Amino acid sequence: MKSCPTCHRRFIDSEPSCPLDDAQLVASPGEMPPGLGKELGAYRLVCLLGEGGMGNIYVARHAQLNRHVAIKLLRKELASRKEAVARFFQEADTINRLRHPNIIESIDLVEDVVDGAYCVLELLRGPDLKRRLGQGELPVASVLDIGAQIADALSAVHGLGIVHRDLKPENLILVDGEKVKLIDFGIAQIGQQGGGTSLGTAAYMAPEQAAGKPVDGRADVYSLGVLLFEMITGRHPFPSKTDSEYLLRHADETPPRPGKLAPRCPPVLETVILRCLEKKPEDRYPDAATVAKVLRAVDPNTRTSRGVAGKVLAGIVIVAAAGAGAFYVATHRPEPTESQASVAPAAAPLVAAAPVAPASPPETQSAAPAAPSSVAPIVAIDVVSTPAGAKAYRLGETVPLGTTPFTVQLPRSDTPIQIRFELAGHEAKQVEVPIAASMEIDVTLARMAQQKTTVAVDHKAAVAPDKIKPKKVQREGVMDPFAP
C-alpha cells in the first residue's frame, strides 16, 4: 500500500502518484481500506475518498484511457432495499440532468448483477469550502464571487424543481482556485413533497426544514446566508455544540450583524446576508438567481460597515428618547472614496429608485460665478435598528421599505415621513424621518414585557435534565465524499 505525503490518502501499490495533487506516492504500512483494487467494469478502485450512509466514494482509474474518476458505489446491504436503490438512482439522474459549470458532472450509471449499482462522476481536484474556512475569513471579493457561483448552481437546481437540502461547506469543492462545484444530491427533494422528516445538516438547516415542513428553494437560500456569514466573518452565526442547539437557535434567535463582527463587510452585503437568514421563507429573496444578481452588483471596495472608523457622525441629533428606546439621525454621510465616486451606488440593485446624483466639484475662488446649485432630487437613507432584522413600513403602506439594515432611496422633500418598525418579540416603534438630505437613522427597539404564567409540574413524572436525550437529525444519504 502507498500513501500521499500531501493529502495523506492511501492508494493501491500500482499507483505512481496522487491524482488529486500530483504528489509522488510513498510506501506506507497499515491495512488496505476496504474495496481497494476491486474492478468495476473498465474501472479499478485505487483510493477511498469517503464513506456515507448510502455508499462509499472512491477514486478509480479507467484501465484503457488511464483517466481518473470518482465512483460512488451503493452499499451491498442496501441493494435489496427498493427505496434505497430508488434514491441512489434518483441522485444519479438528478446530477445527470444538472449540466452546469458549478455542479459536479455525471459520467455514467451502472447497475451490475454482481457488483451492484454505482455512479461514475468527474474527479474534482481541490479543497472543499470547509477546509478553506478553516484558514479564516475570506476576502470580500472572494465572498462575493464564491457566493454568486453557489447561487448560480442553486438557481439551476431549483429551475428543475429540485431542492438540494444539504448545502454546507463540505459539499462545495473549490477547483482551480475559487471555481465552485456543488456536490452530493443524496437527500435532494425532487418536486413538491410533503413535510414530516427533517433531512439535512443541523448547522445549515432553514427553520422550516428543521421543523419537517414542506420546503422549496428558499430553504437553500437560507443555507446560503449561513455560508455567506461564515465566509465574511470566519464564524457561524449561531455557534452551537449540539444539533438540538443549532435547531433552536436557527428557529428563535436573530443573527448578529456581520458588520459588527467583520468591519470590512460592505453594508449591502450585510443586508443580503440578513435577508437570506430571515426566519420566514416569504421574507427571504424569492429565488437564488436574485441573490446571484445582487451579489455581483456589490462593490467589494465600498466603505466599511456602519459603526466603525470611516463613518462620519457629525451632527448626530437625538430626535426621540422614550421608554421604548432611542432614535438617532446622522445628518452627515461620509464622503465617497475615489473608487466609489466612479461606480453606481452599491445599494442601487436593492431598491427601485434612481441613483443619487453625483455632487459637483467645489468652485475655486478664481472661477466665474456659478449658477445656483440645484438640490439632489433623490436622497439615500441608511436605516439601521438594534437589534437588526426589523421590518420598516412607511405609514399607510403594507409593503415594507426593507429589513434592517438597508438603504432606501426616496424623492427629496421638506416634509418628513413616518416609518413604523416591527420585529417579533419587540414593541413596534413609529418615528418621523426627515428626507430633505441623505442621512442615516438608527432605531433601538425594546423587548416586549413577558407575562409570567404558573405551570403545574408533576414532580413524579419529571425527568432529570441530564436524562433528556437531544433531538437527533435524520442524516440518511448525507456524506462527505471529497473532504480529506
Side-chain angles (χ1 to χ4, degrees):
M1 185 180 65
K2 294 181 178 179
S3 66
C4 175
T6 303
C7 66
H8 306 293
R9 291 186 172 92
R10 291 175 289 177
F11 293 80
I12 61 175
D13 289 332
S14 59
E15 288 295 300
S17 61
C18 177
L20 299 172
D21 51 38
D22 296 327
Q24 291 297 311
L25 300 179
V26 296
S28 175
E31 295 183 4
M32 184 81 72
L36 291 195
K38 182 177 181 178
E39 293 187 356
L40 299 176
Y43 298 97
R44 189 178 188 188
L45 306 183
V46 301
C47 173
L48 177 64
L49 276 179
E51 300 176 273
M54 292 288 289
N56 295 342
I57 296 285
Y58 295 90
V59 176
R61 176 169 44 82
H62 194 285
Q64 286 76 37
L65 302 178
N66 199 32
R67 175 190 181 185
H68 287 93
V69 297
I71 286 186
K72 185 173 185 177
L73 178 62
L74 181 66
R75 290 183 179 277
K76 284 188 175 182
E77 59 268 28
L78 298 178
S80 59
R81 292 174 50 184
K82 293 183 179 180
E83 70 278 6
V85 176
R87 178 179 292 180
F88 185 82
F89 277 89
Q90 175 180 285
E91 179 187 5
D93 178 67
T94 298
I95 297 175
N96 186 59
R97 294 163 59 197
L98 292 167
R99 299 184 181 276
H100 189 276
N102 295 118
I103 298 175
I104 189 171
E105 179 186 354
S106 174
I107 299 174
D108 197 4
L109 176 63
V110 180
E111 186 175 17
D112 189 272
V113 177
V114 178
D115 298 321
Y118 59 92
C119 181
V120 183
L121 307 164
E122 68 171 319
L123 183 64
L124 302 176
R125 297 164 54 102
D128 59 28
L129 184 57
K130 181 178 181 179
R131 186 190 296 184
R132 178 63 184 83
L133 287 171
Q135 302 172 12
E137 67 272 13
L138 278 63
V140 175
S142 295
V143 175
L144 297 172
D145 180 38
I146 292 175
Q149 290 185 66
I150 298 172
D152 286 340
L154 291 177
S155 181
V157 171
H158 300 161
L160 292 179
I162 301 168
V163 184
H164 190 277
R165 296 200 296 186
D166 199 23
L167 187 66
K168 59 183 179 180
E170 297 93 319
N171 286 339
L172 294 160
I173 310 300
L174 303 178
V175 299
D176 298 329
E178 292 185 349
K179 182 179 180 180
V180 176
K181 287 279 191 174
L182 175 62
I183 66 170
D184 199 345
F185 289 78
I187 61 170
Q189 172 184 295
I190 311 297
Q192 295 295 324
Q193 298 178 7
T197 305
S198 57
L199 294 172
T201 301
Y204 299 89
M205 290 172 69
E208 69 274 15
Q209 182 180 351
K213 297 179 180 178
V215 300
D216 56 25
R218 293 171 294 182
D220 288 339
V221 169
Y222 182 94
S223 302
L224 175 56
V226 180
L227 292 173
L228 290 170
F229 190 103
E230 283 188 306
M231 287 191 284
I232 193 65
T233 66
R235 51 153 281 186
H236 194 280
F238 306 113
S240 303
K241 295 182 179 179
T242 65
D243 284 351
S244 297
E245 185 180 358
Y246 273 122
L247 299 181
L248 289 174
R249 298 190 71 182
H250 276 304
D252 299 331
E253 291 190 20
T254 300
R257 284 173 49 188
K260 286 188 175 181
L261 301 173
R264 61 199 176 82
C265 177
V268 179
L269 176 57
E270 180 178 272
T271 301
V272 173
I273 294 172
L274 294 178
R275 184 169 177 186
C276 288
L277 291 176
E278 288 283 358
K279 304 302 182 186
K280 297 180 179 179
E282 58 269 24
D283 293 335
R284 300 173 203 146
Y285 288 101
D287 50 57
T290 302
V291 180
K293 183 183 298 183
V294 174
L295 288 175
R296 289 194 168 93
V298 178
D299 180 3
N301 299 314
T302 51
R303 65 184 173 91
T304 54
S305 295
R306 306 172 180 88
V308 298
K311 170 186 173 183
V312 180
L313 288 179
I316 292 183
V317 180
I318 300 181
V319 175
F327 164 49
Y328 301 94
V329 177
T331 58
H332 289 73
R333 292 168 59 85
E335 293 296 327
T337 63
E338 183 177 350
S339 61
Q340 291 172 305
S342 61
V343 297
L350 301 180
V351 293
V356 179
S360 301
E363 298 293 339
T364 61
Q365 293 182 355
S366 59
S373 60
S374 59
V375 179
I378 299 294
V379 296
I381 308 296
D382 289 341
V383 185
V384 183
S385 74
T386 304
K391 283 188 168 47
Y393 297 85
R394 192 167 179 172
L395 188 63
E397 296 182 356
T398 58
V399 178
L401 289 170
T403 301
T404 59
F406 67 95
T407 300
V408 63
Q409 296 180 348
L410 299 170
R412 192 203 70 82
S413 174
D414 293 330
T415 303
I417 62 173
Q418 300 290 326
I419 297 181
R420 179 179 177 83
F421 292 82
E422 297 179 0
L423 178 63
H426 295 73
E427 296 181 3
K429 185 173 183 65
Q430 183 171 311
V431 298
E432 184 177 277
V433 180
I435 54 173
S438 295
M439 64 180 65
E440 177 180 286
I441 64 172
D442 193 336
V443 177
T444 300
L445 302 176
R447 281 190 170 275
M448 290 182 176
Q450 295 183 351
Q451 296 181 349
K452 296 183 178 180
T453 57
T454 302
V455 181
V457 180
D458 184 354
H459 295 283
K460 294 182 179 181
V463 181
D466 59 346
K467 300 297 184 181
I468 299 176
K469 295 183 179 180
K471 180 179 177 182
K472 294 184 178 180
V473 179
Q474 183 176 344
R475 295 191 176 191
E476 183 179 356
V478 180
M479 63 179 58
D480 179 11
F482 296 101

